[in-house]
Amino acid sequence: MVVGIVGLGLIGGSLAKAYKEAGATVYGKDTNELVQQFALMAEAIDGELDDRTIGECDLILIAVTPHSAVAWFTENAPKIDRRTITIDCCGTKRYVCRHNFQTAEKYGLIYMGGHPMAGKERGGFKYSSEDLFRNAPFILVPEKCDNMELMEKVKKMIMTAGFGRVGVTTPEEHDRVIAFTSQMPHVVSNGFIKSDTALVDSQMISAGSYQDFTRVAYLDEKMWSELFLENRDNLMQEIHRLISSLQEYENALRDEDREQLEKLLADGKAAKTAVLEKCGPEQMNGEGR
């Protein structure tokens, strides 16, 4: 299999390494020439994804931000072979899929949205690894689900990189859920760590929950701000829900209402139990970029 990777940061670099580990020929392209050369020296890629090699690819994965993904696909669509499967790996889906579905139809190409549900708090090729996606889920967002032979082919291609399962959804459903499961934790963690208390030797008086909760506060502000704005309607709704919920806790504390506080805590525990019963613990591990 020949795989092309657009963007050699944490996700793209890890995809390149995973496919190389699986025996694929990998071509890569990054806007930073130094990163691209480093990936070549590290043997994460076999060469550059360019006008010559793009036509050789069985699979192209676009691992950049939504606007950059649309720009790259629009510019390079005429060079892509009609048998090639192209999948973006962006963190939001409505914008990128809307534009790229249209481009794919114009040129008769096979394109799907996608989202590898794995990551680390630190980005860049330096932190990429061939096992990042081991047993992780990958979400596919096709325009249509009426070609089961194609879907099975794509699933096999994706799982070659180590993914444990492949799910299918719509752009709208993806963005609605990702606002809660991924974007909200990043917003809350990033806001929480700004407390002055964090600077008063908080490492000495802290448990594992503090480290877990603040891990994703360290983020790429340029990438995440674009993703947040792309999905602002869903994210704002989740923020409003959380503010309303926190207000209930604040009111109970202000009023020294232990009965109400116990009820709020019990309700939260029950909600967590319900999620575990419905989804199972293995599906509670979302992506951590």
Side-chain angles (χ1 to χ4, degrees):
M1 180 165 59
V2 179
V3 181
I5 309 287
V6 181
L8 295 171
L10 173 66
I11 299 301
S14 296
L15 286 167
K17 291 177 179 179
Y19 278 105
K20 277 285 289 179
E21 181 77 10
T25 297
V26 179
Y27 297 117
K29 178 68 176 179
D30 196 274
T31 53
N32 188 327
E33 183 64 28
L34 290 177
V35 170
Q36 188 167 308
Q37 289 301 317
F38 187 75
L40 189 61
M41 288 188 293
E43 298 184 345
I45 60 175
D46 295 288
E48 181 180 357
L49 181 66
D50 55 21
D51 292 352
R52 179 183 59 84
T53 57
I54 195 171
E56 300 177 21
C57 295
D58 301 298
L59 174 67
I60 295 176
L61 296 164
I62 311 174
V64 293
T65 58
H67 283 81
S68 295
V70 168
W72 185 90
F73 192 57
T74 300
E75 179 182 350
N76 290 278
K79 309 166 192 174
I80 298 174
D81 192 282
R82 291 195 174 192
R83 67 176 176 80
T84 301
I85 296 167
T86 303
I87 302 172
D88 81 82
C89 298
C90 300
T92 56
K93 298 268 70 83
R94 286 177 294 175
Y95 171 83
V96 68
C97 284
R98 182 170 67 251
H99 287 276
N100 285 357
F101 284 153
Q102 293 174 356
T103 300
E105 182 178 5
K106 178 180 178 180
Y107 292 98
L109 300 176
I110 305 171
Y111 163 81
M112 297 182 188
H115 192 171
M117 303 301 291
K120 298 177 181 177
E121 60 269 30
R122 293 181 182 269
F125 183 82
K126 177 181 178 181
Y127 296 99
S128 63
S129 60
E130 67 276 1
D131 62 351
L132 179 64
F133 308 112
R134 188 167 296 160
N135 296 321
F138 190 100
I139 306 302
L140 279 175
V141 186
E143 186 172 22
K144 300 176 182 177
C145 292
D146 55 356
N147 188 334
M148 294 310 298
E149 183 179 352
L150 173 62
M151 294 302 293
E152 282 300 313
K153 180 180 180 180
V154 173
K155 181 179 177 180
K156 289 179 181 178
M157 285 181 160
I158 292 299
M159 295 186 76
T160 299
F163 290 95
R165 58 191 184 277
V166 177
V168 178
T169 190
T170 65
E172 293 74 22
E173 180 66 6
H174 172 278
D175 287 0
R176 183 185 69 81
V177 175
I178 211 70
F180 175 73
T181 62
S182 176
Q183 294 183 341
M184 270 293 285
H186 283 78
V187 168
V188 176
S189 179
N190 192 263
F192 172 81
I193 199 64
K194 293 175 183 176
S195 169
D196 292 340
T197 308
L199 299 175
V200 187
D201 205 11
S202 57
Q203 302 300 319
M204 285 293 293
I205 311 175
S206 65
S209 56
Y210 172 76
Q211 296 297 332
D212 292 341
F213 190 63
T214 58
R215 180 178 64 84
V216 294
Y218 193 98
L219 46 70
D220 180 344
E221 65 276 11
K222 294 187 180 298
M223 180 189 78
W224 280 102
S225 61
E226 180 174 331
L227 295 176
F228 290 163
L229 289 171
E230 288 290 344
N231 203 27
R232 61 188 178 276
D233 55 341
N234 291 311
L235 183 54
M236 286 173 63
Q237 187 175 46
E238 294 296 343
I239 289 174
H240 290 157
R241 286 173 180 164
L242 179 61
I243 290 173
S244 177
S245 181
L246 289 175
Q247 189 65 60
E248 293 183 319
Y249 289 90
E250 183 182 20
N251 291 343
L253 291 167
R254 181 198 61 212
D255 299 338
E256 299 185 44
D257 189 341
R258 180 166 180 173
E259 182 178 351
Q260 174 65 4
L261 187 57
E262 287 183 355
K263 180 182 183 303
L264 291 171
L265 294 171
D267 287 347
K269 182 168 65 175
K272 173 67 172 181
T273 300
V275 170
L276 287 172
E277 289 176 349
K278 180 178 180 180
C279 302
E282 71 280 356
Q283 293 189 42
M284 289 296 292
N285 298 318
E287 57 96 33
R289 286 183 297 151

